[in-house]
Amino acid sequence: MAGQGTPATALLTKRKIAHSTHPYDVSPDAPNYGALVAAALGVPPARVFKSLVTEVDGGLTVAVVPVTGELDLKALAAAAGGKRAAMADRTVAERATGYVRGGISPLGQRKRLPTIVDASALEHPTVYVSAGRRGLQLQLTPTDLVALTGAVTAPIATR
């Protein structure tokens, strides 16, 4: 399983984007999952980002926020140019992205969704995001993440 690529890793390889993969072993149902992933990787939690599929004014949008904070739905709606944001249904999120909860990557999704990356990502030389399956993270520069997803950056996380 560790040797299998994902749509996210395939995209990075195809585009010749510098990245590295980092396996870890943390139960996706564990409380404080993100902090446990950061600890397993041996990196500061502020550099590990989670991908959350949301609905902004009825359309799906991906929010990429640090595992150390929570998504501010009002800030997300404003950054996306909408009025109201809510978390998307798990089944809808999985169907739209082609990934399962706990392994949703902002990269290589089945359908490219509008993406907002929390501005704090730009404070780090590299960040970690899901590689597209549970137990595997990608490390890449935040500028590559933003460019590949066509993301907007905005302060969308509470600290």
Side-chain angles (χ1 to χ4, degrees):
M1 183 152 178
Q4 291 178 325
T6 67
T9 60
L11 173 68
L12 292 167
T13 301
K14 180 180 177 184
R15 297 274 183 92
K16 297 180 173 39
I17 302 295
H19 69 282
S20 56
T21 56
H22 301 271
Y24 62 92
D25 185 19
V26 174
S27 168
D29 297 318
N32 209 6
Y33 176 74
L36 293 173
V37 170
L41 297 175
V43 299
R47 289 181 57 200
V48 180
F49 285 71
K50 55 189 171 185
S51 302
L52 304 172
V53 180
T54 65
E55 288 187 20
V56 177
D57 292 349
L60 294 179
T61 300
V62 177
V64 182
V65 296
V67 299
T68 55
E70 296 295 322
L71 174 61
D72 180 335
L73 290 169
K74 287 183 180 181
L76 173 67
K83 295 183 187 314
R84 174 181 270 173
M87 295 303 297
D89 176 76
R90 175 182 176 171
T91 304
V92 170
E94 291 177 346
R95 189 177 307 125
T97 63
Y99 295 123
V100 297
R101 183 185 70 83
I104 293 178
S105 177
L107 301 164
Q109 296 175 356
R110 179 175 289 147
K111 178 182 177 191
R112 186 168 170 172
L113 299 172
T115 302
I116 314 287
V117 174
D118 186 68
S120 69
L122 301 176
E123 299 168 5
H124 307 288
T126 61
V127 294
Y128 294 78
V129 296
S130 175
R133 77 163 182 264
R134 294 174 184 159
L136 189 64
Q137 290 279 302
L138 284 172
Q139 180 183 11
L140 74 166
T141 68
T143 52
D144 283 337
L145 174 63
V146 168
L148 287 168
T149 57
V152 169
T153 58
I156 59 168
T158 60
R159 308 279 186 273

